[in-house]
Amino acid sequence: MEMRSLTRAEAEIMKILWQLGKAFVKDILAQMADPKPAYTTVATFVRILEKKEMVAHKTYGNTHEYYPLVSEADYRKHEAKQLVENYFENSVTSLVSFFLNDSALTESDLDDLAAFIEKKRARK
C-alpha cells in the first residue's frame, strides 16, 4: 500500500508514537496538550492510522499496545517528495529558490545552507 498523507490530528498521534516507540491509547492521551481530546477520539484516530498501515498493535487481553510501522524519517521523506511534486513542478531547485527568496531567512540561515551545500559537494 502506498503511504498516504496524514491529517493534523493523525500526525500529532504519530509524533507521540515515534517518540514513545509503543503506547496504549491512555499513554498517547497523556502526552497530548490541553485541552485533551476524548479517549474515544484518540482511539478512533489510532484505528484510522491502522487502516492507513501507519501503525499496528499487540493485544493484551482487551487492550491494545500500538507501535509505528513507518519511521518518522520515511514519512518526512514521503511528505517532502509530495511537496516538491505537487507545488514545485518536481523541482528541488524551485523549492530551495522559494525558501531563499523568503525574507524570513537570516544571515545565519543562509550561512548554514551554504555550508550544507559545500559539505554535500565535497562528498561527491
Side-chain angles (χ1 to χ4, degrees):
M1 176 182 244
E2 187 177 322
M3 193 179 310
R4 295 178 4 201
S5 293
L6 302 175
T7 66
R8 184 175 287 131
E10 292 166 351
E12 182 181 2
I13 290 168
M14 285 304 300
K15 285 178 187 177
I16 292 168
L17 282 172
W18 285 321
Q19 179 186 5
L20 298 177
K22 57 186 177 180
F24 296 96
V25 171
K26 67 179 178 59
D27 301 325
I28 296 168
L29 192 58
Q31 296 291 316
M32 298 179 97
D34 289 325
K36 296 184 187 301
Y39 179 96
T40 54
T41 301
V42 176
T44 297
F45 278 113
V46 172
R47 282 193 299 277
I48 291 168
L49 288 166
E50 273 195 294
K51 287 181 184 165
K52 287 185 172 185
E53 297 183 0
M54 296 291 289
V55 302
H57 72 268
K58 290 182 185 175
T59 303
Y60 298 97
N62 61 354
T63 188
H64 300 310
E65 183 178 45
Y66 296 93
Y67 57 92
L69 291 175
V70 175
S71 73
E72 186 173 13
D74 285 345
Y75 185 72
R76 281 184 182 178
K77 190 180 296 184
H78 163 77
E79 285 298 291
K81 185 177 181 220
Q82 292 299 306
L83 178 68
V84 171
E85 286 176 4
N86 294 332
Y87 298 100
F88 296 96
E89 299 171 5
N90 220 17
S91 167
V92 173
T93 302
S94 293
L95 170 74
V96 173
S97 296
F98 173 81
F99 285 108
L100 288 174
N101 289 320
D102 184 346
S103 60
L105 286 174
T106 65
E107 285 295 319
S108 176
D109 292 333
L110 293 171
D111 291 342
D112 290 346
L113 287 168
F116 179 79
I117 290 168
E118 285 307 313
K119 195 183 290 186
K120 196 74 169 162
R121 273 196 178 136
R123 280 192 238 143
K124 288 193 174 193

